């Protein structure tokens, strides 16, 4: 559970990032000579001599537009800088006290941003059309091509049905493409990265994170196609055995004041109707009110959930590739197939935009 401090700081941080990235004009406020801020504004910008000034509160810094222009106009330094910054951020990410998914979430977030920017750079640098995926509307959108110009017409019920059919088709196709990419990329990287890391470990010391097993301590990573691998769609049958439940005792919102079983230690919690013990085993309450922990076999005791160091770089490549597919490859494929991406135009004859 996240504390109120985590939520508050996360909200503030997200707002600041949006403000730095956005080109929002802000809220216009007119300052007249009777307002003390008018004279402050005049001192800061003495060249603006007027009986009234317009102050735009909260105007965005426009960092996102600047980054996009730099990415599209830059050379090979763009991917080199972006990849280096992403890897440096991953390496310098604070190590959590517990084995929580916050680090993996950060990898996914940073890798998606990396893939989107590098994909945009590649489209521009290699001379591909910048309007690809934005010059053909979806069938049934109410636009027809007349003499090389898109003209809007009235939509009928059949147009609406056609639009939704193509929207569902594109959704299914995109998800399947991403799943196939994830399976193939993870399987290939799990075969390539561990021996590569072991070879590099003989030359110099590789960085290692807490809770992640270095490549020198294992021989192989579970395959995506194996029985114990991580699959893109987990089976509902496996959810009870794969999900571990964490309970906050005595904290805000936990609703548990600390019901411990006598003689079993302070790290195990008695749960009504059963629960999970600290080793992941299922606890059941007997008729006498006690908690019975089933004995685990030797194979189950040795079956520990591990994180491998190869998974870090694997996630970077996989999620960056997903961003490239979603932002560049799939829109181009939909346009080539005639499915379109957008549903309307900003102005007749200009590039279209989505709904």
């Amino acid at each position: 559970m996240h504390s109120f401090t985590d939520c508050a700081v996360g909200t503030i941080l997200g707002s600041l990032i949006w403000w730095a990235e956005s080109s929002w004009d802000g809220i216009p406020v007119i300052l007249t000579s009777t307002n003390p801020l008018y004279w402050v504004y005049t001192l800061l910008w003495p060249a603006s001599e007027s009986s009234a000034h317009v102050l735009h509160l909260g105007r965005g810094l426009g960092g996102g537009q600047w980054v996009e222009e730099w990415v599209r106009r830059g050379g090979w330094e763009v991917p080199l800088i972006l990849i280096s910054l992403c890897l440096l951020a991953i390496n310098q990410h604070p190590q959590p006290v517990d084995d929580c998914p916050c680090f993996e979430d950060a990898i996914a977030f940073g890798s998606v941003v990396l893939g989107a920017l590098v994909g945009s750079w590649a489209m521009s640098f290699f001379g591909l059309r910048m309007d690809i995926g934005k010059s053909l509307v979806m069938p049934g959108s109410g636009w027809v091509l007349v003499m090389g110009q898109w003209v809007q017409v009235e939509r009928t019920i059949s147009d609406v049905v056609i639009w939704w059919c193509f929207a569902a088709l594109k959704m299914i196709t995109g998800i399947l493409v991403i799943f196939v990419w994830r399976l193939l990329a993870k399987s290939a990287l799990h075969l390539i990265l561990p021996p590569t890391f072991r070879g590099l470990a003989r030359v110099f010391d590789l960085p290692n994170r807490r809770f992640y097993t270095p490549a020198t301590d294992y021989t192989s990573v579970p395959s995506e196609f194996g029985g114990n691998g991580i699959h893109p769609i987990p089976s509902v049958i496996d959810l009870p055995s794969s999900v571990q439940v964490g309970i906050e005792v005595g904290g805000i919102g936990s609703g548990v004041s600390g019901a411990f079983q006598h003689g079993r230690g302070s790290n195990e919690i008695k749960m009504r109707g059963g629960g999970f013990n600290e080793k992941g085993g299922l606890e059941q309450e007997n008729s006498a009110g006690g908690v019975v922990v089933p004995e685990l076999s030797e194979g189950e005791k040795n079956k520990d959930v591990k994180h491998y160091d190869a998974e870090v770089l694997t996630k970077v490549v996989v999620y960056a590739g997903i961003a490239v597919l979603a932002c560049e490859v799939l829109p181009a494929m939909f346009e080539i197939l005639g499915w379109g991406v957008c549903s309307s135009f900003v102005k007749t004859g200009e590039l279209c935009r989505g709904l």
Side-chain angles (χ1 to χ4, degrees), residues 36-63:
L37 294 178
Y38 171 87
W39 304 106
V40 176
Y41 189 97
T42 305
L43 291 175
L44 294 177
W45 292 277
S48 57
E49 297 181 358
S50 176
S51 59
H53 299 307
V54 180
L55 178 64
H56 295 270
L57 294 179
R59 172 182 285 180
L61 297 181

PDB file of all heavy atoms in Angstrom, residues 36-63:
ATOM      1  N   PRO A  36      -0.436  45.703  -7.899  1.00  0.00           N
ATOM      2  CA  PRO A  36       1.010  45.741  -7.597  1.00  0.00           C
ATOM      3  C   PRO A  36       1.831  44.829  -8.513  1.00  0.00           C
ATOM      4  O   PRO A  36       3.001  45.122  -8.787  1.00  0.00           O
ATOM      5  CB  PRO A  36       1.066  45.258  -6.143  1.00  0.00           C
ATOM      6  CG  PRO A  36      -0.292  45.550  -5.586  1.00  0.00           C
ATOM      7  CD  PRO A  36      -1.247  45.366  -6.717  1.00  0.00           C
ATOM      8  N   LEU A  37       1.240  43.738  -8.992  1.00  0.00           N
ATOM      9  CA  LEU A  37       1.977  42.850  -9.878  1.00  0.00           C
ATOM     10  C   LEU A  37       2.288  43.510 -11.216  1.00  0.00           C
ATOM     11  O   LEU A  37       3.212  43.078 -11.926  1.00  0.00           O
ATOM     12  CB  LEU A  37       1.172  41.561 -10.110  1.00  0.00           C
ATOM     13  CG  LEU A  37       0.965  40.650  -8.892  1.00  0.00           C
ATOM     14  CD1 LEU A  37       0.113  39.444  -9.269  1.00  0.00           C
ATOM     15  CD2 LEU A  37       2.304  40.197  -8.338  1.00  0.00           C
ATOM     16  N   TYR A  38       1.541  44.565 -11.558  1.00  0.00           N
ATOM     17  CA  TYR A  38       1.803  45.291 -12.805  1.00  0.00           C
ATOM     18  C   TYR A  38       3.194  45.887 -12.786  1.00  0.00           C
ATOM     19  O   TYR A  38       3.932  45.827 -13.778  1.00  0.00           O
ATOM     20  CB  TYR A  38       0.751  46.374 -12.989  1.00  0.00           C
ATOM     21  CG  TYR A  38       1.054  47.333 -14.128  1.00  0.00           C
ATOM     22  CD1 TYR A  38       0.649  47.031 -15.423  1.00  0.00           C
ATOM     23  CD2 TYR A  38       1.730  48.530 -13.885  1.00  0.00           C
ATOM     24  CE1 TYR A  38       0.926  47.918 -16.461  1.00  0.00           C
ATOM     25  CE2 TYR A  38       2.012  49.418 -14.917  1.00  0.00           C
ATOM     26  CZ  TYR A  38       1.611  49.101 -16.204  1.00  0.00           C
ATOM     27  OH  TYR A  38       1.886  49.975 -17.232  1.00  0.00           O
ATOM     28  N   TRP A  39       3.600  46.473 -11.646  1.00  0.00           N
ATOM     29  CA  TRP A  39       4.909  47.107 -11.547  1.00  0.00           C
ATOM     30  C   TRP A  39       6.012  46.064 -11.453  1.00  0.00           C
ATOM     31  O   TRP A  39       7.129  46.300 -11.939  1.00  0.00           O
ATOM     32  CB  TRP A  39       4.929  48.043 -10.339  1.00  0.00           C
ATOM     33  CG  TRP A  39       3.817  49.060 -10.414  1.00  0.00           C
ATOM     34  CD1 TRP A  39       2.673  49.092  -9.682  1.00  0.00           C
ATOM     35  CD2 TRP A  39       3.760  50.168 -11.308  1.00  0.00           C
ATOM     36  NE1 TRP A  39       1.882  50.140 -10.043  1.00  0.00           N
ATOM     37  CE2 TRP A  39       2.532  50.843 -11.059  1.00  0.00           C
ATOM     38  CE3 TRP A  39       4.600  50.670 -12.293  1.00  0.00           C
ATOM     39  CZ2 TRP A  39       2.143  51.972 -11.749  1.00  0.00           C
ATOM     40  CZ3 TRP A  39       4.226  51.795 -12.985  1.00  0.00           C
ATOM     41  CH2 TRP A  39       3.009  52.437 -12.724  1.00  0.00           C
ATOM     42  N   VAL A  40       5.715  44.935 -10.840  1.00  0.00           N
ATOM     43  CA  VAL A  40       6.704  43.846 -10.826  1.00  0.00           C
ATOM     44  C   VAL A  40       6.947  43.358 -12.245  1.00  0.00           C
ATOM     45  O   VAL A  40       8.088  43.127 -12.661  1.00  0.00           O
ATOM     46  CB  VAL A  40       6.217  42.699  -9.924  1.00  0.00           C
ATOM     47  CG1 VAL A  40       7.183  41.526  -9.983  1.00  0.00           C
ATOM     48  CG2 VAL A  40       6.053  43.186  -8.489  1.00  0.00           C
ATOM     49  N   TYR A  41       5.873  43.215 -13.008  1.00  0.00           N
ATOM     50  CA  TYR A  41       5.984  42.780 -14.397  1.00  0.00           C
ATOM     51  C   TYR A  41       6.779  43.802 -15.209  1.00  0.00           C
ATOM     52  O   TYR A  41       7.611  43.444 -16.053  1.00  0.00           O
ATOM     53  CB  TYR A  41       4.580  42.597 -14.991  1.00  0.00           C
ATOM     54  CG  TYR A  41       4.546  41.938 -16.349  1.00  0.00           C
ATOM     55  CD1 TYR A  41       4.305  40.573 -16.471  1.00  0.00           C
ATOM     56  CD2 TYR A  41       4.742  42.685 -17.509  1.00  0.00           C
ATOM     57  CE1 TYR A  41       4.269  39.969 -17.721  1.00  0.00           C
ATOM     58  CE2 TYR A  41       4.702  42.092 -18.760  1.00  0.00           C
ATOM     59  CZ  TYR A  41       4.466  40.732 -18.861  1.00  0.00           C
ATOM     60  OH  TYR A  41       4.435  40.136 -20.098  1.00  0.00           O
ATOM     61  N   THR A  42       6.556  45.100 -14.959  1.00  0.00           N
ATOM     62  CA  THR A  42       7.264  46.147 -15.687  1.00  0.00           C
ATOM     63  C   THR A  42       8.750  46.144 -15.370  1.00  0.00           C
ATOM     64  O   THR A  42       9.597  46.381 -16.230  1.00  0.00           O
ATOM     65  CB  THR A  42       6.655  47.520 -15.356  1.00  0.00           C
ATOM     66  OG1 THR A  42       5.250  47.499 -15.631  1.00  0.00           O
ATOM     67  CG2 THR A  42       7.318  48.620 -16.163  1.00  0.00           C
ATOM     68  N   LEU A  43       9.100  45.843 -14.099  1.00  0.00           N
ATOM     69  CA  LEU A  43      10.507  45.778 -13.723  1.00  0.00           C
ATOM     70  C   LEU A  43      11.205  44.584 -14.368  1.00  0.00           C
ATOM     71  O   LEU A  43      12.369  44.679 -14.768  1.00  0.00           O
ATOM     72  CB  LEU A  43      10.637  45.713 -12.195  1.00  0.00           C
ATOM     73  CG  LEU A  43      10.251  46.985 -11.424  1.00  0.00           C
ATOM     74  CD1 LEU A  43      10.314  46.724  -9.922  1.00  0.00           C
ATOM     75  CD2 LEU A  43      11.159  48.150 -11.811  1.00  0.00           C
ATOM     76  N   LEU A  44      10.497  43.480 -14.467  1.00  0.00           N
ATOM     77  CA  LEU A  44      11.104  42.290 -15.061  1.00  0.00           C
ATOM     78  C   LEU A  44      11.209  42.415 -16.570  1.00  0.00           C
ATOM     79  O   LEU A  44      12.173  41.932 -17.182  1.00  0.00           O
ATOM     80  CB  LEU A  44      10.277  41.049 -14.681  1.00  0.00           C
ATOM     81  CG  LEU A  44      10.261  40.673 -13.205  1.00  0.00           C
ATOM     82  CD1 LEU A  44       9.354  39.478 -12.961  1.00  0.00           C
ATOM     83  CD2 LEU A  44      11.680  40.365 -12.719  1.00  0.00           C
ATOM     84  N   TRP A  45      10.219  43.007 -17.198  1.00  0.00           N
ATOM     85  CA  TRP A  45      10.222  43.189 -18.653  1.00  0.00           C
ATOM     86  C   TRP A  45      10.010  44.674 -18.961  1.00  0.00           C
ATOM     87  O   TRP A  45       8.910  45.118 -19.327  1.00  0.00           O
ATOM     88  CB  TRP A  45       9.121  42.355 -19.301  1.00  0.00           C
ATOM     89  CG  TRP A  45       9.375  40.882 -19.189  1.00  0.00           C
ATOM     90  CD1 TRP A  45      10.159  40.114 -19.990  1.00  0.00           C
ATOM     91  CD2 TRP A  45       8.831  40.008 -18.188  1.00  0.00           C
ATOM     92  NE1 TRP A  45      10.153  38.812 -19.565  1.00  0.00           N
ATOM     93  CE2 TRP A  45       9.340  38.703 -18.458  1.00  0.00           C
ATOM     94  CE3 TRP A  45       7.971  40.174 -17.109  1.00  0.00           C
ATOM     95  CZ2 TRP A  45       9.020  37.605 -17.691  1.00  0.00           C
ATOM     96  CZ3 TRP A  45       7.659  39.085 -16.328  1.00  0.00           C
ATOM     97  CH2 TRP A  45       8.172  37.815 -16.619  1.00  0.00           C
ATOM     98  N   PRO A  46      11.044  45.488 -18.804  1.00  0.00           N
ATOM     99  CA  PRO A  46      10.885  46.950 -18.967  1.00  0.00           C
ATOM    100  C   PRO A  46      10.559  47.361 -20.401  1.00  0.00           C
ATOM    101  O   PRO A  46      10.030  48.449 -20.625  1.00  0.00           O
ATOM    102  CB  PRO A  46      12.259  47.496 -18.545  1.00  0.00           C
ATOM    103  CG  PRO A  46      13.201  46.355 -18.755  1.00  0.00           C
ATOM    104  CD  PRO A  46      12.408  45.110 -18.454  1.00  0.00           C
ATOM    105  N   ALA A  47      10.842  46.500 -21.389  1.00  0.00           N
ATOM    106  CA  ALA A  47      10.581  46.877 -22.781  1.00  0.00           C
ATOM    107  C   ALA A  47       9.094  46.914 -23.087  1.00  0.00           C
ATOM    108  O   ALA A  47       8.669  47.528 -24.066  1.00  0.00           O
ATOM    109  CB  ALA A  47      11.290  45.908 -23.738  1.00  0.00           C
ATOM    110  N   SER A  48       8.299  46.223 -22.274  1.00  0.00           N
ATOM    111  CA  SER A  48       6.858  46.161 -22.536  1.00  0.00           C
ATOM    112  C   SER A  48       6.152  47.308 -21.831  1.00  0.00           C
ATOM    113  O   SER A  48       5.769  47.210 -20.670  1.00  0.00           O
ATOM    114  CB  SER A  48       6.295  44.814 -22.051  1.00  0.00           C
ATOM    115  OG  SER A  48       6.581  44.657 -20.680  1.00  0.00           O
ATOM    116  N   GLU A  49       6.058  48.436 -22.519  1.00  0.00           N
ATOM    117  CA  GLU A  49       5.399  49.617 -21.969  1.00  0.00           C
ATOM    118  C   GLU A  49       3.952  49.641 -22.441  1.00  0.00           C
ATOM    119  O   GLU A  49       3.663  49.843 -23.617  1.00  0.00           O
ATOM    120  CB  GLU A  49       6.132  50.876 -22.414  1.00  0.00           C
ATOM    121  CG  GLU A  49       7.559  50.955 -21.900  1.00  0.00           C
ATOM    122  CD  GLU A  49       8.246  52.226 -22.345  1.00  0.00           C
ATOM    123  OE1 GLU A  49       7.601  53.007 -23.081  1.00  0.00           O
ATOM    124  OE2 GLU A  49       9.409  52.425 -21.964  1.00  0.00           O
ATOM    125  N   SER A  50       3.043  49.435 -21.527  1.00  0.00           N
ATOM    126  CA  SER A  50       1.626  49.412 -21.856  1.00  0.00           C
ATOM    127  C   SER A  50       0.835  49.734 -20.603  1.00  0.00           C
ATOM    128  O   SER A  50       1.333  49.615 -19.476  1.00  0.00           O
ATOM    129  CB  SER A  50       1.216  48.047 -22.411  1.00  0.00           C
ATOM    130  OG  SER A  50      -0.181  47.993 -22.634  1.00  0.00           O
ATOM    131  N   SER A  51      -0.394  50.176 -20.813  1.00  0.00           N
ATOM    132  CA  SER A  51      -1.248  50.503 -19.675  1.00  0.00           C
ATOM    133  C   SER A  51      -1.755  49.257 -18.966  1.00  0.00           C
ATOM    134  O   SER A  51      -2.258  49.345 -17.845  1.00  0.00           O
ATOM    135  CB  SER A  51      -2.437  51.351 -20.141  1.00  0.00           C
ATOM    136  OG  SER A  51      -3.185  50.634 -21.125  1.00  0.00           O
ATOM    137  N   ALA A  52      -1.615  48.113 -19.612  1.00  0.00           N
ATOM    138  CA  ALA A  52      -2.049  46.842 -19.014  1.00  0.00           C
ATOM    139  C   ALA A  52      -1.181  45.715 -19.567  1.00  0.00           C
ATOM    140  O   ALA A  52      -0.740  45.761 -20.719  1.00  0.00           O
ATOM    141  CB  ALA A  52      -3.519  46.575 -19.305  1.00  0.00           C
ATOM    142  N   HIS A  53      -0.907  44.774 -18.725  1.00  0.00           N
ATOM    143  CA  HIS A  53      -0.130  43.602 -19.127  1.00  0.00           C
ATOM    144  C   HIS A  53      -1.000  42.369 -18.987  1.00  0.00           C
ATOM    145  O   HIS A  53      -1.886  42.301 -18.113  1.00  0.00           O
ATOM    146  CB  HIS A  53       1.122  43.448 -18.262  1.00  0.00           C
ATOM    147  CG  HIS A  53       2.060  44.612 -18.348  1.00  0.00           C
ATOM    148  ND1 HIS A  53       2.538  45.105 -19.531  1.00  0.00           N
ATOM    149  CD2 HIS A  53       2.607  45.391 -17.362  1.00  0.00           C
ATOM    150  CE1 HIS A  53       3.346  46.120 -19.307  1.00  0.00           C
ATOM    151  NE2 HIS A  53       3.398  46.323 -17.973  1.00  0.00           N
ATOM    152  N   VAL A  54      -0.738  41.370 -19.815  1.00  0.00           N
ATOM    153  CA  VAL A  54      -1.443  40.091 -19.746  1.00  0.00           C
ATOM    154  C   VAL A  54      -0.476  39.040 -19.232  1.00  0.00           C
ATOM    155  O   VAL A  54       0.543  38.746 -19.874  1.00  0.00           O
ATOM    156  CB  VAL A  54      -2.009  39.682 -21.120  1.00  0.00           C
ATOM    157  CG1 VAL A  54      -2.727  38.346 -20.998  1.00  0.00           C
ATOM    158  CG2 VAL A  54      -2.953  40.752 -21.647  1.00  0.00           C
ATOM    159  N   LEU A  55      -0.765  38.492 -18.074  1.00  0.00           N
ATOM    160  CA  LEU A  55       0.060  37.460 -17.459  1.00  0.00           C
ATOM    161  C   LEU A  55      -0.630  36.107 -17.636  1.00  0.00           C
ATOM    162  O   LEU A  55      -1.804  35.954 -17.272  1.00  0.00           O
ATOM    163  CB  LEU A  55       0.263  37.756 -15.973  1.00  0.00           C
ATOM    164  CG  LEU A  55       1.071  36.735 -15.171  1.00  0.00           C
ATOM    165  CD1 LEU A  55       2.503  36.680 -15.680  1.00  0.00           C
ATOM    166  CD2 LEU A  55       1.046  37.087 -13.690  1.00  0.00           C
ATOM    167  N   HIS A  56       0.069  35.168 -18.206  1.00  0.00           N
ATOM    168  CA  HIS A  56      -0.493  33.838 -18.439  1.00  0.00           C
ATOM    169  C   HIS A  56      -0.040  32.910 -17.309  1.00  0.00           C
ATOM    170  O   HIS A  56       1.099  32.434 -17.283  1.00  0.00           O
ATOM    171  CB  HIS A  56      -0.032  33.295 -19.789  1.00  0.00           C
ATOM    172  CG  HIS A  56      -0.547  34.081 -20.960  1.00  0.00           C
ATOM    173  ND1 HIS A  56      -1.742  33.790 -21.580  1.00  0.00           N
ATOM    174  CD2 HIS A  56      -0.037  35.161 -21.608  1.00  0.00           C
ATOM    175  CE1 HIS A  56      -1.948  34.641 -22.567  1.00  0.00           C
ATOM    176  NE2 HIS A  56      -0.921  35.494 -22.614  1.00  0.00           N
ATOM    177  N   LEU A  57      -0.945  32.658 -16.376  1.00  0.00           N
ATOM    178  CA  LEU A  57      -0.631  31.794 -15.236  1.00  0.00           C
ATOM    179  C   LEU A  57      -0.541  30.337 -15.663  1.00  0.00           C
ATOM    180  O   LEU A  57      -1.424  29.825 -16.355  1.00  0.00           O
ATOM    181  CB  LEU A  57      -1.701  31.952 -14.156  1.00  0.00           C
ATOM    182  CG  LEU A  57      -1.794  33.319 -13.458  1.00  0.00           C
ATOM    183  CD1 LEU A  57      -2.931  33.297 -12.446  1.00  0.00           C
ATOM    184  CD2 LEU A  57      -0.476  33.678 -12.787  1.00  0.00           C
ATOM    185  N   GLY A  58       0.530  29.674 -15.252  1.00  0.00           N
ATOM    186  CA  GLY A  58       0.682  28.253 -15.521  1.00  0.00           C
ATOM    187  C   GLY A  58       1.078  27.920 -16.946  1.00  0.00           C
ATOM    188  O   GLY A  58       0.926  26.771 -17.361  1.00  0.00           O
ATOM    189  N   ARG A  59       1.559  28.888 -17.711  1.00  0.00           N
ATOM    190  CA  ARG A  59       1.944  28.605 -19.102  1.00  0.00           C
ATOM    191  C   ARG A  59       3.030  27.533 -19.129  1.00  0.00           C
ATOM    192  O   ARG A  59       4.015  27.586 -18.398  1.00  0.00           O
ATOM    193  CB  ARG A  59       2.456  29.870 -19.779  1.00  0.00           C
ATOM    194  CG  ARG A  59       3.053  29.616 -21.157  1.00  0.00           C
ATOM    195  CD  ARG A  59       3.593  30.888 -21.779  1.00  0.00           C
ATOM    196  NE  ARG A  59       2.509  31.733 -22.250  1.00  0.00           N
ATOM    197  CZ  ARG A  59       2.715  32.916 -22.846  1.00  0.00           C
ATOM    198  NH1 ARG A  59       3.947  33.376 -23.011  1.00  0.00           N
ATOM    199  NH2 ARG A  59       1.676  33.626 -23.258  1.00  0.00           N
ATOM    200  N   GLY A  60       2.818  26.541 -19.987  1.00  0.00           N
ATOM    201  CA  GLY A  60       3.770  25.445 -20.079  1.00  0.00           C
ATOM    202  C   GLY A  60       5.104  25.874 -20.634  1.00  0.00           C
ATOM    203  O   GLY A  60       5.215  26.860 -21.381  1.00  0.00           O
ATOM    204  N   LEU A  61       6.142  25.140 -20.266  1.00  0.00           N
ATOM    205  CA  LEU A  61       7.490  25.465 -20.720  1.00  0.00           C
ATOM    206  C   LEU A  61       7.743  25.023 -22.154  1.00  0.00           C
ATOM    207  O   LEU A  61       8.714  25.458 -22.770  1.00  0.00           O
ATOM    208  CB  LEU A  61       8.517  24.815 -19.788  1.00  0.00           C
ATOM    209  CG  LEU A  61       8.501  25.287 -18.330  1.00  0.00           C
ATOM    210  CD1 LEU A  61       9.597  24.569 -17.554  1.00  0.00           C
ATOM    211  CD2 LEU A  61       8.675  26.795 -18.243  1.00  0.00           C
ATOM    212  N   GLY A  62       6.900  24.125 -22.684  1.00  0.00           N
ATOM    213  CA  GLY A  62       7.074  23.687 -24.068  1.00  0.00           C
ATOM    214  C   GLY A  62       8.234  22.743 -24.272  1.00  0.00           C
ATOM    215  O   GLY A  62       8.778  22.653 -25.386  1.00  0.00           O
ATOM    216  N   GLY A  63       8.640  22.032 -23.229  1.00  0.00           N
ATOM    217  CA  GLY A  63       9.766  21.108 -23.368  1.00  0.00           C
ATOM    218  C   GLY A  63       9.481  19.957 -24.317  1.00  0.00           C
ATOM    219  O   GLY A  63      10.374  19.488 -25.019  1.00  0.00           O
TER     220      GLY A  63
END
